[in-house]
Amino acid sequence: MTPTSANQDHLFVGAYAAAPSLSGWNPNDEERFLASVFALDGVGGLEVPFTDKLHKYDEAWFLRQLPEHAQFVVTTIPGTMSRLEADKGFGLASTSESGRRAALDFVKEALEAVKRLNHQMGKPSVVALELHAAPVAFGSAATAAALEASLIEISSWDTHGARLVLEHCDALMPGQNPAKGFLTLELEAQAVKEANDATGNPMSMVINWGRSVIEQRRPEAAQEQIAFLRSCDLLGGVVFSGCADVDTKFGIAWGDVHVPPAPVTATDTWVPQGTNTDQTLFEPASLLTAGHIKSCLQAAGPLPETGFRAIKVAAPPNASVDQKVTVISQSLTAVRQAATDISETAVAPTTH
């Protein structure tokens, strides 16, 4: 099963990064926000965060909000990070056996959540479960061998129709403070490939644009890592989530804070003429430009064989529900327009 939405033009949205529930629980605001996101042109479904449940405040309430056509990617990064705060040895790549077993138990909990989500939808609706190579790779705390052993074990479990994908987070790099600090992409790819060879299961990997750029401190890094995974036949998805090299209203420099794309310029084509855009919702310092989106989509290649495409962007502090939705809408438009530009270039007639 290749992890992609039913409509290949549609994107998954990590809407939780901009949700009203980040700052408190107001079911009315959250309901309006989710309904508005699902109504946006180009949305195929959500990237849903898993901690110990599928919504920060009320999983049962959340499940009732979901339209029957939606599909989902479930990410374990929020729960992984919260568990790392309590146990530095927690993770699928951990050389601490207790920490590795705790991470395996957590994946079992996530798969039970996948089962609940599918049950609510009445059909298999989770296309992928995103795993991560915690813990922080200080010294010998994390290894590819430990990760491989975990992935082999998980591959024998019932995933309820979801494909297992390992999302690459920024690796621990000499001389810089990490956002996540996990294993390198090369070591992760080695573990995934060897687990696949051992089990015959087609596990793949996901690149999060911002996390790759945070790691390398270069906006070209995401495109390079996408191309690397594609060359290894391991690319299973691309998530467009930005970052900045200076402090912004979204967070600190090189923070994993889901900075939206850079504001439109006179040369950008992704905002239709006459559209009333609120430039204050974007971030001039964002490294995620229209050009970088396009180059990464070109590097990723065609769907469905290279997995799913998603966006995950934050909203400015104190943004209204409507402004939160606008940030997501315009970010969606940026990615979809880049994909359209690529398609039109590919089929453009040759002149002689």
Side-chain angles (χ1 to χ4, degrees):
M1 175 183 177
T2 303
T4 184
S5 59
N7 187 327
Q8 293 180 28
D9 293 330
H10 286 185
L11 298 164
F12 291 91
V13 178
Y16 72 96
S21 54
L22 286 176
S23 56
W25 182 224
N26 183 320
N28 291 332
D29 283 352
E30 192 85 349
E31 180 177 3
R32 184 158 70 89
F33 171 76
L34 287 171
S36 298
V37 170
F38 276 118
L40 294 174
D41 190 25
V43 174
L46 297 181
E47 182 193 46
V48 180
F50 180 73
T51 51
D52 55 357
K53 52 190 176 183
L54 291 167
H55 189 272
K56 183 177 181 180
Y57 289 100
D58 191 333
E59 179 179 300
W61 176 92
F62 171 72
L63 293 175
R64 293 194 298 271
Q65 312 307 311
L66 305 176
E68 62 180 12
H69 66 275
Q71 292 186 306
F72 306 93
V73 173
V74 174
T75 175
T76 59
I77 194 62
T80 295
M81 299 309 295
S82 65
R83 283 160 176 78
L84 270 174
E85 291 180 5
D87 177 8
K88 301 301 183 186
F90 175 91
L92 296 175
S94 181
T95 54
S96 161
E97 188 58 21
S98 63
R100 196 173 73 84
R101 294 312 313 178
L104 289 166
D105 289 342
F106 174 56
V107 175
K108 286 183 179 178
E109 293 177 25
L111 287 171
E112 284 300 308
V114 168
K115 183 179 179 180
R116 294 194 299 273
L117 185 46
N118 285 340
H119 178 75
Q120 174 69 27
M121 304 304 292
K123 59 184 181 297
S125 297
V126 180
V127 302
L129 175 66
E130 291 178 315
L131 308 177
H132 303 86
V136 179
F138 287 123
S140 59
T143 66
L147 177 60
E148 178 189 345
S150 295
L151 297 180
I152 288 173
E153 182 170 345
I154 295 169
S155 291
S156 68
W157 300 345
D158 184 356
T159 65
H160 310 291
R163 185 171 183 177
L164 300 173
V165 295
L166 187 73
E167 183 185 34
H168 178 61
C169 296
D170 65 292
L172 186 66
M173 302 293 285
Q176 65 187 43
N177 292 324
K180 300 293 188 288
F182 298 162
L183 292 174
T184 66
L185 181 67
E186 292 75 15
L187 288 175
E188 291 175 347
Q190 173 190 329
V192 171
K193 185 177 186 307
E194 293 184 2
N196 287 351
D197 290 344
T199 64
N201 292 328
M203 191 179 302
S204 56
M205 295 186 64
V206 170
I207 290 297
N208 178 300
W209 193 92
R211 290 169 184 162
S212 294
V213 173
I214 289 166
E215 173 187 301
Q216 298 289 329
R217 302 294 200 255
R218 297 181 298 111
E220 299 79 15
Q223 178 185 349
E224 293 167 2
Q225 293 192 341
I226 289 167
F228 170 76
L229 288 183
R230 190 178 175 195
S231 72
C232 300
D233 198 26
L234 290 177
L235 183 63
V238 176
V239 179
F240 288 101
S241 182
C243 64
D245 58 1
V246 296
D247 293 352
T248 69
K249 57 181 172 285
F250 297 93
I252 63 171
W254 299 120
D256 187 8
V257 292
H258 317 304
V259 179
V264 297
T265 68
T267 59
D268 286 327
T269 61
W270 57 269
V271 174
Q273 187 174 6
T275 297
N276 181 21
T277 61
D278 188 346
Q279 295 287 298
T280 65
L281 299 177
F282 292 88
E283 175 50 57
S286 177
L287 298 175
L288 182 57
T289 64
H292 287 309
I293 292 171
K294 184 174 180 179
S295 65
C296 284
L297 288 174
Q298 289 174 318
L303 296 170
E305 57 263 35
T306 57
F308 62 87
R309 304 291 180 263
I311 67 162
K312 179 159 56 181
V313 295
N318 303 314
S320 68
V321 172
D322 289 342
Q323 288 174 323
K324 291 173 182 292
V325 176
T326 297
V327 172
I328 292 172
S329 174
Q330 294 182 0
S331 300
L332 276 168
T333 302
V335 177
R336 296 183 75 215
Q337 183 60 54
T340 298
D341 291 346
I342 292 169
S343 297
E344 291 175 350
T345 301
V347 300
T350 302
T351 58
H352 298 281

